[in-house]
Amino acid sequence: MIPADSAVALPHMPVDVARIERWIGEFAALTEEGPGVTRLGYSALEREAHALFGAEMSALGLTVRGDTAGNTIAELSGLEPDGPALGTGSHLDSVPQGGRFDGIAGVCAAMEVARAVVQSEWRPRHSWRFVAFATEEGARFGQACNGSRAAAGLVSTGDLAVVKDSHGVSMSAAMAAVGLDPARIAESRWRSEDWLAFVELHIEQGTVLEASGTSIGVVDAISGSTRLLVHLDGVASHTGGTPMHQRRDALAAASECVLACERIANDATHHGTRVTVGRLEVQPGSITTIPGEVSFTIDIRDFDSERQRRTAHLLDAQFRQISAARGVGIRSSVIGDTSPVFLPVEIVDSIVSAARERGLTYRLLSSGASHDSQQISRVTPTGMIFVPSIRGLSHVPEENTAFDDIALGAQVLLDTLIALDGSGAPGPAAAWTA
Ligand code: HGY
Ligand code: MN
Ligand code: MN
C-alpha cells in the first residue's frame, strides 16, 4: 500500500447515522408482501433497489454504470483517475423473508462514505468506486454471488442456463426478464490492474461481536460453501392400503439423510463444518398418500476447502446407501460451490489501525457466511468490516443491527479507504450528526 501522506490534514468528514437509517428504510420498502424483506436476485425488486442506489449516487455527481451481470458501479474520480481504484459496497438482494440489513448495511455505509467525501470537497488520490452487487444470495438459484463471481471472471453464459430456481426458472431467463443479456456476462469481468483494494462492510450474522461487547469485527477468513440438490424417488401410495414392509417412502429416506448431515457435521473430524438442509419439498404432499418424491438442498460450509468437498462426497455416498436400503431412487447434483478465502493481512491491518485510531473495540473473526468479498478477493486485495448483529439473527425478519453501530463501521470504512488511498491522515474524530 502507498504510505499515507500524513502531512496532509484532511477535512472533517462525519458520517451521518440518520441518513444511513433513512436509506435502510427506503431499501426495506422494496419487498414482496409478507414478513421481513423478500427481494430476490434478478427480480424486478432487486432492479428497483439498484435504480435507487444509482439515483442517489448520481445525485452526488458520481458517474454510475450498470454492468452485464446486473452490478451497479458508481465512481468518484480521484486526482489520478487513470490509475487503479479503491472499492467498497455489498449486495441489494435478500433471501425470502429475510432482514433489512444483510448486504444493505454495506451498501448504505458505502453510500454514506460517498456522501461524506463529496460534501467535504476533498478528493482522494485514487478514484473510489461504490458497488452494489447483483444476486449475492444463493437462496434463489443455489449458486451464490453471481454478480461478484462475474466480476471475478467465474461465470460463463452456459452456467447461467444451468442453474435454476425452485420454479425451474434458469438464471439466464431471470436475467433476460429484467433486461440483462446473459450472453454478455463476460463483459462484467474486472481487471486486477484497475483495482487497488476493496473493503466491504457487512453485518456479522452471528453472535461474537454482541457477546463480547465489541463494536468492529475485522474479518480474516470467509467460509466456503458447497451446495447440493438431492431428489429421492420412492413410490407414492395409499397410507391405509400399503403395509409398512411394502413401502418405498421417499420422506422416510430423506429423513435419514437429514440426520446423516447433522451427524457428520458433529463428528470429531468435522470441527468447523456446518451442514444444513434448508429446503425440503414433498410430493404429493397429501395426508393420506405415502410421499413418493422428495427434493432437498444441502448447504455445506467450511474453512477447510478439501474437507468441504470431501464432506459433500461422503454425504452423497451415505445418501446412496440409505436409498438403496429403502429401494428408493436418488439423483443429486452440485448447485453451488465456492472456496473459503483468507483475507490479506495488509487490509486486515488497515482496518485494525482505523478502528484503533477511533478508540473503538475491535477483534478479528472469521465469517461463517459467504460474501461478495470472497469473490472480489480473487481480483484485488480485499477486506471486510463486521458490525454487530443483535442476538446474532440473520436471514430472518428479526435481523437487526443498531444504526449507530453501522455508522461506527462506516466511519472505520471511510478511514480505512483514506489510509489505503495514501492521501493523508483521516480527519479528526467525528461526532455523530444526529
Ligand atoms: O448465505 C450466505 O452465507 C450469505 O448470507 N449470502
Ligand atoms: Mn450478505
Ligand atoms: Mn445473506
Side-chain angles (χ1 to χ4, degrees):
M1 291 302 132
I2 300 162
D5 178 357
S6 53
V8 176
L10 296 181
H12 185 43
M13 293 188 254
V15 163
D16 179 354
V17 61
R19 198 183 314 272
I20 290 176
E21 181 171 357
R22 177 167 64 78
W23 277 330
I24 285 179
E26 288 185 23
F27 284 115
L30 299 175
T31 176
E32 294 179 20
E33 288 296 312
V37 173
T38 300
R39 184 172 56 246
L40 300 183
Y42 294 130
S43 66
L45 281 166
E46 185 195 42
R47 295 293 98 206
E48 281 186 56
H50 278 252
L52 172 58
F53 169 75
E56 291 284 351
M57 293 293 97
S58 295
L60 286 175
L62 276 62
T63 53
V64 178
R65 67 181 180 86
D67 71 11
T68 57
N71 302 316
T72 304
I73 302 168
E75 180 152 337
L76 170 69
S77 282
L79 301 175
E80 299 167 11
D82 300 330
L86 284 169
T88 185
S90 192
H91 61 94
L92 288 173
D93 62 315
S94 79
V95 297
Q97 301 186 5
R100 295 179 295 147
F101 297 90
D102 177 358
I104 309 303
V107 173
C108 293
M111 291 165 70
E112 179 54 11
V113 163
R115 186 211 52 82
V117 171
V118 167
Q119 288 184 355
S120 73
E121 297 182 356
W122 169 76
R123 278 298 168 271
R125 176 181 293 169
H126 300 86
S127 295
W128 289 15
R129 294 183 187 128
F130 303 87
V131 184
F133 290 108
T135 311
E136 184 272 353
E137 297 291 357
R140 180 176 179 187
F141 295 103
Q143 179 63 56
C145 295
N146 198 62
S148 48
R149 291 179 72 247
L154 296 172
V155 182
S156 70
T157 300
D159 297 336
L160 299 170
V162 169
V163 284
K164 292 184 167 55
D165 67 12
S166 58
H167 303 292
V169 177
S170 68
M171 200 180 266
S172 41
M175 290 177 75
V178 292
L180 297 167
D181 179 358
R184 296 180 53 205
I185 192 78
E187 295 170 30
S188 295
R189 181 169 192 168
W190 293 3
R191 300 185 320 159
S192 293
E193 55 269 36
D194 294 339
W195 295 85
L196 190 65
F198 190 90
V199 182
E200 176 179 8
L201 181 144
H202 202 285
I203 56 172
E204 179 201 339
Q205 299 177 301
T207 57
V208 173
L209 294 179
E210 183 184 56
S212 58
T214 309
S215 299
I216 300 292
V218 187
V219 179
D220 56 6
I222 305 175
S223 173
S225 67
T226 296
R227 294 176 185 151
L228 309 176
L229 177 62
V230 179
H231 294 278
L232 299 181
D233 299 303
V235 175
S237 181
H238 196 294
T239 52
T242 314
M244 295 307 288
H245 69 283
Q246 287 179 1
R247 295 182 176 208
R248 295 189 182 174
D249 184 332
L251 183 54
S255 307
E256 274 200 69
C257 294
V258 173
L259 292 176
C261 294
E262 188 182 52
R263 203 168 31 249
I264 207 168
N266 285 320
D267 80 21
T269 65
H270 281 82
H271 176 69
T273 303
R274 287 134 292 139
V275 185
T276 312
V277 175
R279 192 174 79 212
L280 184 143
E281 288 160 3
V282 182
Q283 295 299 338
S286 159
I287 295 176
T288 56
T289 307
I290 299 165
E293 267 187 74
V294 171
S295 61
F296 57 94
T297 58
I298 317 277
D299 183 359
I300 301 163
R301 304 281 180 114
D302 211 324
F303 292 98
D304 176 332
S305 183
E306 191 278 327
R307 184 175 62 188
Q308 177 185 316
R309 274 76 182 207
R310 192 173 67 239
T311 302
H313 288 300
L314 283 173
L315 283 173
D316 193 62
Q318 288 184 23
F319 295 166
R320 290 178 188 284
Q321 282 171 351
I322 291 166
S323 307
R326 288 174 168 271
V328 167
I330 181 171
R331 290 170 284 133
S332 66
S333 56
V334 176
I335 56 172
D337 187 77
T338 198
S339 298
V341 293
F342 295 86
L343 297 176
V345 69
E346 72 267 21
I347 309 294
V348 169
D349 285 352
S350 298
I351 299 169
V352 164
S353 301
R356 197 182 270 157
E357 284 295 305
R358 291 280 171 187
L360 298 174
T361 52
Y362 66 90
R363 61 174 292 158
L364 266 61
L365 76 171
S366 304
S367 173
S370 46
H371 296 287
D372 290 309
S373 289
Q374 197 156 2
Q375 314 303 335
I376 300 305
S377 70
R378 300 164 186 263
V379 177
T380 189
T382 299
M384 288 196 78
I385 297 167
F386 272 179
V387 291
S389 288
I390 294 170
R391 294 167 44 216
L393 294 177
S394 183
H395 283 190
V396 290
E398 296 77 17
E399 180 181 276
N400 197 7
T401 291
F403 294 111
D404 274 347
D405 282 343
I406 300 173
L408 281 175
Q411 191 68 64
V412 170
L413 174 64
L414 172 52
D415 294 353
T416 302
L417 292 173
I418 289 172
L420 293 172
D421 187 70
S423 44
W432 311 123
T433 48

